[in-house]
């Protein structure tokens, strides 16, 4: 939504270090170019700054914490969006499998379709648990939000992508048509998976922060939700 925003938040390095700034999107020195993207329902734009005036929101002492927290919250919200979209696709697939007839039978009665729908449900519930844990970690404060949101993004991005792909497989021919909504969700799954870092990037970051510094006699601590 950079093409429609009134103000832009910009992380930039100044003479004193990293800072978070607010820039008037319609002011001097700001040039926005709309982009043609894979997901047409999520507009994006390229933004160029050339001597644009900015208002400092968080200085070097606070900027890293504020920006990090914003990314953690964004990752948790994105994971919840991915879970909701995946749930819709699973519901869509189940309804279609009950209604579509092939060889005189509902396609949902075939073992191959049953297995695919069951795998989709497992992926969805795994992602739902990870997303709920990320939200809990941000609100409760007893778990590391960087770890929880990283896990949520790694799990939810992969699950949504697989479910979007498998939904098209269950739908068959109708799933490939422009008129059906399946392609919109497939494109959203692809762009969501790259929006705040790929699943591979989140897994790599988690491995570097947890496993690379782990001690042989002390495993990395993750809260269980129990006191």
């Amino acid at each position: 939504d950079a093409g429609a925003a009134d103000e832009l938040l910009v992380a930039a390095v100044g003479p004193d270090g990293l800072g978070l700034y607010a820039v008037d999107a319609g002011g001097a020195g700001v040039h926005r170019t709309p982009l043609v993207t894979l997901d047409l329902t999520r507009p994006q734009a390229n933004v160029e700054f050339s001597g644009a005036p900015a208002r400092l929101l968080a200085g070097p002492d606070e900027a890293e914490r504020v920006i990090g927290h914003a990314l953690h919250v964004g990752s948790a919200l994105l994971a919840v969006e991915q879970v909701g979209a995946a749930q819709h696709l699973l519901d869509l697939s189940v309804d279609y499998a009950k209604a579509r007839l092939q060889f005189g039978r509902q396609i949902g009665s075939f073992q191959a379709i049953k297995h695919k729908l069951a795998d989709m449900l497992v992926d969805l519930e795994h992602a739902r648990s990870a997303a709920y844990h990320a939200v809990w970690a941000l609100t409760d404060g007893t778990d590391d939000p960087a770890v929880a949101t990283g896990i949520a993004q790694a799990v939810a991005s992969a699950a949504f992508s697989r479910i979007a792909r498998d939904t098209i497989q269950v739908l068959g021919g109708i799933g490939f048509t422009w008129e059906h909504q399946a392609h919109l969700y497939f494109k959203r799954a692809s762009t969501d998976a790259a929006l705040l870092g790929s699943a591979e990037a989140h897994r790599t970051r988690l491995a570097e922060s947890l496993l690379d510094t782990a001690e042989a006699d002390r495993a990395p601590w993750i809260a269980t939700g129990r006191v």
Side-chain angles (χ1 to χ4, degrees):
D1 292 316
D6 295 324
E7 275 197 313
L8 301 170
L9 296 181
V10 182
V13 177
D16 298 325
L18 178 66
L20 182 65
Y21 300 86
V23 179
D24 181 1
V30 180
H31 181 68
R32 296 180 286 181
T33 305
L35 300 174
V36 178
T37 58
L38 176 65
D39 182 3
L40 299 178
T41 67
R42 176 169 275 157
Q44 298 181 23
N46 184 66
V47 182
E48 295 181 9
F49 301 102
S50 178
R55 186 173 75 258
L56 181 65
L57 298 179
D61 294 338
E62 287 284 304
E64 187 172 352
R65 180 189 63 82
V66 171
I67 294 170
H69 180 70
L71 289 173
H72 296 155
V73 171
S75 294
L77 292 174
L78 183 60
V80 171
E81 176 194 281
Q82 290 167 319
V83 168
Q87 178 70 69
H88 174 72
L89 289 178
L90 178 59
D91 294 341
L92 192 72
S93 298
V94 170
D95 289 343
Y96 187 80
K98 291 178 179 179
R100 179 73 167 92
L101 299 178
Q102 190 71 14
F103 306 112
R105 296 169 55 185
Q106 296 170 322
I107 64 171
S109 67
F110 298 121
Q111 192 174 50
I113 299 298
K114 290 179 181 179
H115 285 177
K116 191 173 290 292
L117 293 174
D119 289 341
M120 292 165 68
L121 177 61
V122 171
D123 281 342
L124 172 63
E125 292 306 315
H126 189 192
R128 191 193 310 278
S129 295
Y132 283 3
H133 176 232
V135 175
W136 169 78
L138 285 167
T139 55
D140 182 82
T142 58
D143 205 352
D144 186 347
V147 173
T149 56
I151 293 173
Q153 268 302 291
V155 174
S157 292
F160 185 21
S161 295
R162 285 194 298 267
I163 290 172
R165 179 192 63 219
D166 287 348
T167 294
I168 294 177
Q169 293 294 319
V170 172
L171 293 174
I174 189 65
F176 288 89
T177 63
W178 183 262
E179 291 80 7
H180 198 277
Q181 60 182 286
H183 74 95
L184 297 174
Y185 283 86
F186 183 83
K187 293 171 182 175
R188 174 58 64 91
S190 299
T191 55
D192 276 2
L195 192 60
L196 293 178
S198 66
E200 291 80 4
H202 284 283
R203 286 194 291 265
T204 298
R205 180 175 59 80
L206 288 168
E208 291 174 349
S209 62
L210 296 176
L211 301 180
D212 291 355
T213 59
E215 299 177 6
D217 58 345
R218 185 174 61 86
W221 179 81
I222 300 293
T224 63
R226 292 194 284 261
V227 178

